Amino acid sequence: MLAAYAAAQSASDPLSGLVVGERPEPQARPGWTVVRLRAAALNHHDVWSLRGVGLPADRLPMVLGCDGAGVDEAGNEVIVHAVVPSDGWRGDETLDPRRTLLSELHDGTLAEQVAVPSTNVVPKPESMSWETAACLSTAWLTAYRMLFTNSGVQPGGTVLVQGAGGGVATALIQLGAAAGYRMWATSRDEAKGARALEIGADRVFGPGERLPDRVDAVMETVGAATWSHSVNSLRPGGTIVISGATSGDAPAKAELTKIFFKQLRVVGSTMGTQQELAQLARLVVQAGIEPVIDSVRPLAEARDGFARMVDGDVFGKVVFTVG
């Protein structure tokens, strides 16, 4: 089958280890199902894997990809859930210390077929396009859990999203606006800031800019570069929900005094559950949300999509069609 896979890794030249070519088809096994993919999408996780982060070299070659949607062995149209718990785990799979994402231990979704546990699929709403379905499993699921499970903010509250333009940030703005939050965002790129306004942000500010009001929650994926601004932007009792640290995880100022004096909450958030993915899919349909898609191209042209992401020239999701 055709697949985009990591054959080697390089911190300085991630594309050098990417191969778009033939890989063996996955074999069915008890408790698992093989999904024939119709669309898949790219995440920064895939680029980090090519850089050698989170994917041990002894697991190569590895088919990349966490996002995907297709048809299972029973003929059902499904969305793939990328969080794979360890054998015997019960409960919230994101809390399993031995959990993995597709493409870390098991081959991922950037292929014509993928094998997943039978519990790792949710129904694709009939009216939802394959391209939209392929966007939801990772960045959008992360955003859903950050906003609706972990922020504690009621509709009508104000939420600041650090770093407009990335996949999670874009999803946060669209989901929050649809749910009745006042969504503010920061961006160092004027064009991406303008796009954020187009997709639902109420206001956009420059990096570190003083806000006109304190916010109820900050959605943090940038890390060190924005941490102090996030802490200083919160009202007393507010919440930072952090799901990533793309600029580093060691801020120059941890702001611990402000965190305890203002009684701020700092909540870590990773991916989401199978149930949350199903709820997200229903919300996207019911609210008429159209995830921002940067580009759509066939899987055979996956290298071009990876190159756009490596260059940072992306706003929204990069989607690959299959078949």
Side-chain angles (χ1 to χ4, degrees):
M1 66 173 183
L2 182 66
Y5 62 94
Q9 295 167 313
S10 170
S12 60
D13 184 14
L15 293 181
S16 65
L18 175 66
V19 176
V20 181
E22 293 296 315
R23 291 293 299 153
E25 293 183 356
Q27 300 301 310
R29 52 174 159 156
W32 288 56
T33 185
V34 174
V35 176
R36 293 187 175 274
L37 291 150
R38 296 290 302 274
L42 194 58
N43 289 284
H44 283 285
H45 181 274
D46 303 307
V47 176
W48 284 114
S49 295
L50 289 167
R51 293 188 187 276
V53 178
L55 176 61
D58 61 6
R59 295 180 185 170
L60 302 181
M62 176 67 73
V63 177
L64 299 170
C66 303
D67 288 340
V71 179
D72 68 11
E73 291 172 319
N76 303 305
E77 296 186 349
V78 298
I79 303 171
V80 173
H81 179 43
V83 183
V84 181
S86 58
D87 290 343
W89 178 262
R90 296 292 182 268
D92 184 336
E93 58 268 34
T94 69
L95 299 178
D96 177 3
R98 297 174 57 207
R99 73 185 183 275
T100 59
L101 295 183
L102 290 176
S103 77
E104 292 178 348
L105 180 62
H106 308 287
D107 280 336
T109 57
L110 297 185
E112 293 177 323
Q113 300 178 45
V114 64
V116 297
S118 299
T119 53
N120 275 62
V121 295
V122 303
K124 180 184 81 69
E126 186 177 355
S127 61
M128 180 180 287
S129 71
W130 289 113
E131 289 81 5
T132 292
C135 293
L136 302 183
S137 302
T138 306
W140 276 73
L141 179 59
T142 298
Y144 181 95
R145 186 178 179 93
M146 291 176 76
L147 268 180
F148 303 127
T149 303
N150 288 329
S151 77
V153 180
Q154 300 296 314
T158 303
V159 176
L160 175 67
V161 178
Q162 294 283 18
V168 174
T170 301
L172 283 164
I173 293 168
Q174 290 194 264
L175 287 170
Y181 296 96
R182 181 170 66 163
M183 300 302 295
W184 289 354
T186 65
S187 179
R188 61 184 179 182
D189 183 288
E190 186 174 336
K192 289 183 178 179
R195 290 292 305 278
L197 292 170
E198 292 174 5
I199 65 172
D202 182 70
R203 296 185 65 175
V204 174
F205 304 90
E209 184 176 342
R210 185 181 180 89
L211 306 182
D213 294 305
R214 305 284 184 181
V215 301
D216 298 299
V218 179
M219 303 292 105
E220 177 66 82
T221 62
V222 179
T226 55
W227 185 255
S228 183
H229 184 249
S230 293
V231 172
N232 286 295
S233 297
L234 281 172
R235 63 163 177 79
T239 302
I240 296 174
V241 183
I242 180 167
S243 69
T246 56
S247 67
D249 61 4
K253 293 179 66 178
E255 305 283 11
L256 296 181
T257 301
K258 292 177 181 177
I259 288 173
F260 73 72
F261 188 77
K262 295 169 66 178
Q263 300 186 69
L264 307 180
R265 294 194 312 145
V266 177
V267 180
S269 192
T270 296
M271 292 291 290
T273 65
Q274 186 254 18
Q275 181 181 6
E276 287 169 329
L277 179 58
Q279 292 169 335
L280 166 62
R282 288 194 294 270
L283 173 62
V284 166
V285 171
Q286 291 166 0
I289 301 171
E290 293 287 343
V292 174
I293 293 176
D294 176 87
S295 56
V296 179
R297 47 175 49 87
L299 180 61
E301 299 175 11
R303 178 173 292 276
D304 295 336
F306 272 86
R308 282 184 63 81
M309 181 162 282
V310 169
D311 292 340
D313 188 26
V314 169
F315 189 93
K317 297 292 291 183
V318 174
V319 176
F320 303 121
T321 55
V322 184

